[in-house]
Amino acid sequence: MRHLLALTLKFLLTATVMFAILPLFLRISSAEILSFSLWLTLAAYALGDLYLLPRLGNVSAAIADFGFVFVAVWIGVGVFYDTAGGAVVNAAFFAALLAAFGELLLHAYVLRFVVGQHGEEDAPLAGGPRWQTEAAEEFDVRAARPGDQEGTQVKQEGDRQEQEPPHPPIL
């Protein structure tokens, strides 16, 4: 069910972008736009949202979607229209740009509600592993006092199992 809702949202986004951009540059029918939007949605969802998005993160997947939509519109629509090359390339560029901005929002939804693994076991590769430096201090106050005989005895014995747990200093 969650994939169906995500596919519906992606189809609405793709169809809206295609209806807004392609008629500005090309004479294309509504049926052609709807069928092209459907095929583009299915391919982009499988490749971009389910495969690349959990591995690369939101921004990298949006950049990949930009490239995919650009090539798909340029080749997919350009093959059927024998117009000047500039019109098809311009339509492809602006459709891909608008789709990439919409995909940023859709990817946030897909990561949160569909994939559900973002940040757990599949850490995104784009940010690299999350490294944190170690910051710790010894809390063994008895061993730290220079004049304390009990602290030196504990050090000399080397028997850490019988030693009490360290108590934080009272401030």
Side-chain angles (χ1 to χ4, degrees):
M1 185 66 182
R2 54 189 183 170
H3 289 289
L4 185 63
L5 182 59
L7 271 169
T8 304
L9 289 174
K10 188 166 185 83
F11 175 72
L12 289 174
L13 171 73
T14 305
T16 304
V17 167
M18 295 303 153
F19 271 110
I21 299 297
L22 292 182
L24 295 176
F25 296 96
L26 304 167
R27 295 183 61 118
I28 187 168
S29 70
S30 297
E32 291 172 334
I33 291 176
L34 282 176
S35 66
F36 181 72
S37 297
L38 178 67
W39 289 109
L40 184 63
T41 298
L42 293 174
Y45 185 74
L47 179 69
D49 295 345
L50 295 181
Y51 183 74
L52 290 177
L53 181 62
R55 289 168 176 78
L56 298 178
N58 192 359
V59 175
S60 298
I63 292 170
D65 278 333
F66 173 84
F68 183 71
V69 170
F70 179 77
V71 170
V73 171
W74 185 23
I75 293 174
V77 174
V79 167
F80 297 108
Y81 291 94
D82 190 27
T83 61
V88 175
V89 172
N90 285 337
F93 176 76
F94 288 114
L97 188 65
L98 196 58
F101 283 128
E103 290 288 334
L104 286 171
L105 297 174
L106 184 70
H107 288 166
Y109 171 79
V110 169
L111 278 176
R112 184 165 183 193
F113 295 109
V114 177
V115 176
Q117 296 176 352
H118 185 66
E120 293 174 4
E121 61 223 29
D122 271 347
L125 296 175
R130 305 292 189 244
W131 296 100
Q132 180 178 353
T133 59
E134 182 179 346
E137 293 184 21
E138 296 295 328
F139 268 21
D140 195 0
V141 180
R142 291 176 293 163
R145 286 190 238 154
D148 189 14
Q149 296 298 325
E150 184 182 340
T152 55
Q153 287 175 356
V154 171
K155 270 188 175 178
Q156 290 172 357
E157 291 173 5
D159 193 12
R160 289 285 188 185
Q161 293 176 352
E162 294 178 7
Q163 181 184 3
E164 292 181 26
H167 301 290
I170 300 173
L171 299 176

